[in-house]
Amino acid sequence: MSEKNRQGKRTAREKLAAEREKQKSRDQRRRALIVGATVVCVLGLAAVIGVVAANAGKDDGSDAAGPVVAPSGAQGKDSLAIPVGKESAKSTLTIWEDFRCPACKGFELAYRDTVHELTESGQLKVEYHLATIIDGNMRGTGSRTSANAAACAQDAGKFTPYHDVLYDNQPSETDDAFADEDKLLDLAGKVDGLDTTLFQECVKNGKHNSWVEKSNKAFQSGGFSGTPTVLLDGKNIYQDQSMTPAKLKQMVEDANK
């Protein structure tokens, strides 16, 4: 091979090597840009989530916080759970809910009959925890005001029927109708024996408002993703896509065998 040919091949190899280095550098810069953009997106998403979490449960109410007064019969840590069912039940369903929450209404209407059947038969105990996240996300005070009214109904021994009435008459998520105390008192007329002077005073005075706010803070610090959060003996069954009322009933019945 002539010197000229060898020089030509060497030059070609050098050009190819140089081009490979350039391409390698371009690839590295492109990967760096992609990673950088991904980090920015993740941080941006985290900021949005942080804002939502920070606002969740905050409302426009300017009432000064009063003493924390738990409703009659409240149980659990800091007396934040309203119990329904027999203490001897082998299974416990823990529900975190917001009376303004459409998904809570969806769960309630789908599972209500099954839950009532299981509690009345002594197989299931339900612990209701009240939250106010829609007040924070949509603004208003309807979550808190209706939760206070439900706590007042608990004082009167009428929590379950009033709980059902609230969901049966839930306004749209953007409508803060439950902030109207007269609306909540009108709904109490649908429950036999609830619309008493004592109940009316409890609702109008916001007797349990501070308790509701404390319950919402417990929800915020509990690491839950939203309402409803439904736990059967500590297991989140609301996230189980295969869950049905029939499956819940079978699980509870199996636990009671």
Side-chain angles (χ1 to χ4, degrees):
M1 181 181 293
S2 67
E3 182 61 30
K4 183 177 181 179
N5 286 340
R6 283 195 295 271
Q7 183 66 32
K9 288 188 176 183
R10 184 163 56 250
T11 301
R13 286 195 299 270
E14 290 173 351
K15 286 182 178 180
L16 181 60
E19 184 59 32
R20 286 174 177 171
E21 285 298 320
K22 288 180 181 180
Q23 184 62 43
K24 183 178 180 181
S25 296
R26 286 195 293 267
D27 290 342
Q28 289 174 338
R29 286 196 299 271
R30 185 166 59 252
R31 284 194 295 271
L33 288 172
I34 291 172
V35 171
T38 301
V39 170
V40 170
C41 290
V42 169
L43 291 177
L45 179 59
V48 171
I49 292 173
V51 169
V52 173
N55 287 332
K58 295 180 181 178
D59 56 49
D60 293 329
S62 57
D63 297 340
V68 176
V69 181
S72 176
Q75 299 179 350
K77 184 180 179 181
D78 295 328
S79 298
L80 295 179
I82 294 179
V84 174
K86 296 180 179 179
E87 283 292 330
S88 59
K90 293 184 178 180
S91 294
T92 300
L93 193 68
T94 302
I95 301 177
W96 291 86
E97 61 181 1
D98 182 330
F99 289 113
R100 285 183 70 186
C101 164
C104 295
K105 178 179 180 178
F107 174 83
E108 168 69 17
L109 296 184
Y111 286 81
R112 175 190 291 171
D113 291 345
T114 299
V115 170
H116 284 348
E117 178 185 347
L118 292 170
T119 54
E120 290 167 5
S121 66
Q123 299 181 81
L124 180 69
K125 175 184 176 182
V126 184
E127 293 181 345
Y128 290 96
H129 294 261
L130 308 183
T132 62
I133 64 170
I134 304 301
D135 282 356
N137 294 338
M138 294 293 177
R139 314 313 300 171
T141 60
S143 297
R144 186 187 67 181
T145 307
S146 56
N148 171 68
C152 293
Q154 169 67 11
D155 288 341
K158 303 286 184 179
F159 175 80
T160 298
Y162 190 62
H163 175 275
D164 293 353
V165 165
L166 287 176
Y167 279 120
D168 288 341
N169 294 273
Q170 184 189 75
S172 64
E173 187 176 16
T174 56
D175 181 0
D176 196 25
F178 278 174
D180 183 353
E181 293 165 354
D182 289 334
K183 170 70 172 178
L184 297 171
L185 294 177
D186 287 343
L187 292 177
K190 297 179 179 291
V191 178
D192 290 342
L194 177 58
D195 190 16
T196 64
T197 300
L198 195 61
F199 175 78
Q200 293 171 9
E201 291 176 350
C202 182
V203 172
K204 291 180 179 179
N205 295 333
K207 178 179 178 180
H208 300 296
N209 279 352
S210 293
W211 175 83
V212 172
E213 291 168 2
K214 188 171 184 178
S215 178
N216 187 65
K217 288 179 180 178
F219 172 80
Q220 290 178 306
S221 62
F224 305 117
S225 59
T227 54
T229 292
V230 186
L231 311 173
L232 179 62
D233 296 327
K235 179 182 178 182
N236 193 327
I237 63 169
Y238 189 73
Q239 293 179 342
D240 183 351
Q241 298 298 314
S242 68
M243 186 58 60
T244 63
K247 182 176 179 180
L248 171 61
K249 182 179 180 180
Q250 189 62 57
M251 292 172 69
V252 172
E253 289 178 343
D254 288 346
N256 279 269
K257 288 180 179 179

